[in-house]
Amino acid sequence: MRFIEWLVYTGNKHLKIATFPGMWERTVTIGSAGKTFSVTGWKEALAQAFWIDIKRMDDPECYFNSLPKELEVKRDRMVRLLESVGLTPIVPDGGYFIIADVSLLDADFSDMKDSSEPYDYKFVKWMTKNKKLSAIPVSAFCNAETKSQFEKFVRFCFIKKDSTLDAAEAIIKAWKRQAS
């Protein structure tokens, strides 16, 4: 169905892994409309809403058309913010997370008890406690062999209210000024 491909940004196309040679039999696709649309417990109503919006796929106001446009603006804002403080974000073609190497941001882990944790775990804990800003350690998604390659990266979520993004921007810019 066409609506599965909706959360990609201008100029990009979602490539389903199951469509690649030999992958149909080896792929399990799992999704959660309840989580994607923040309506857990309302799956029947969501199914009805899908059918209504699918009929208006050519309308710019269709949810499947308007959400990627809204998120692309938020993504680009987050990219500019991270770049403005000297970080190099990995710009996603779709979705609502952005990954950046945060090793250039000054963080003091001297009061951390468990020094055996990967850098990104320590960084996220430190940042949450000291800067009141949260992220997800990328190495949490890695196996033991590749964890060390990704421990300087964290994943920021940008599907937030503008007021939340404003607050995050103020925190990051003030942090960078303090470090300079």
Side-chain angles (χ1 to χ4, degrees):
M1 294 187 104
R2 194 169 153 207
F3 70 86
I4 300 298
E5 302 177 8
W6 63 278
L7 194 51
V8 293
Y9 302 128
T10 306
N12 296 289
K13 180 170 177 35
H14 175 74
L15 301 174
K16 298 179 205 95
I17 195 164
T19 64
F20 289 93
M23 293 306 295
W24 178 259
E25 300 81 17
R26 300 168 49 199
T27 303
V28 175
T29 302
I30 300 171
S32 172
K35 288 190 177 60
T36 299
F37 298 100
S38 302
V39 291
T40 53
W42 289 87
K43 290 178 180 76
E44 290 301 316
L46 189 57
Q48 291 298 319
F50 273 165
W51 288 119
I52 291 168
D53 240 23
I54 285 172
K55 293 175 187 169
R56 47 183 227 148
M57 285 297 282
D58 294 325
D59 183 342
E61 297 301 313
C62 171
Y63 186 75
F64 303 114
N65 297 323
S66 65
L67 185 62
K69 287 179 175 48
E70 176 186 344
L71 291 181
E72 191 168 3
V73 170
K74 291 177 185 292
R75 178 208 59 188
D76 293 346
R77 177 182 181 181
M78 182 65 81
V79 167
R80 285 191 304 274
L81 170 60
L82 294 172
E83 288 175 343
S84 77
V85 295
L87 301 181
T88 305
I90 299 169
V91 183
D93 293 338
Y96 38 84
F97 294 104
I98 194 162
I99 294 172
D101 180 338
V102 293
S103 59
L104 294 177
L105 291 175
D106 188 33
D108 178 9
F109 303 147
S110 60
D111 65 342
M112 296 251 172
K113 294 176 184 155
D114 186 359
S115 62
S116 66
E117 286 184 308
Y119 181 89
D120 57 341
Y121 276 78
K122 289 188 278 191
F123 180 86
V124 166
K125 287 178 181 179
W126 177 88
M127 183 174 68
T128 302
K129 178 182 175 189
N130 295 289
K131 300 297 180 182
K132 309 300 184 234
L133 188 63
S134 186
I136 299 166
V138 171
S139 72
F141 301 101
C142 302
N143 62 24
E145 293 81 35
T146 60
K147 194 175 281 285
S148 65
Q149 296 171 10
F150 297 97
E151 69 177 64
K152 298 293 175 107
F153 294 90
V154 300
R155 185 173 86 159
F156 294 98
C157 180
F158 56 84
I159 188 169
K160 303 287 183 183
K161 294 178 184 175
D162 286 337
S163 59
T164 303
L165 294 176
D166 291 343
E169 183 171 354
I171 290 168
I172 292 173
K173 285 188 172 180
W175 181 1
K176 189 60 179 176
R177 278 192 299 275
Q178 291 169 352
S180 298

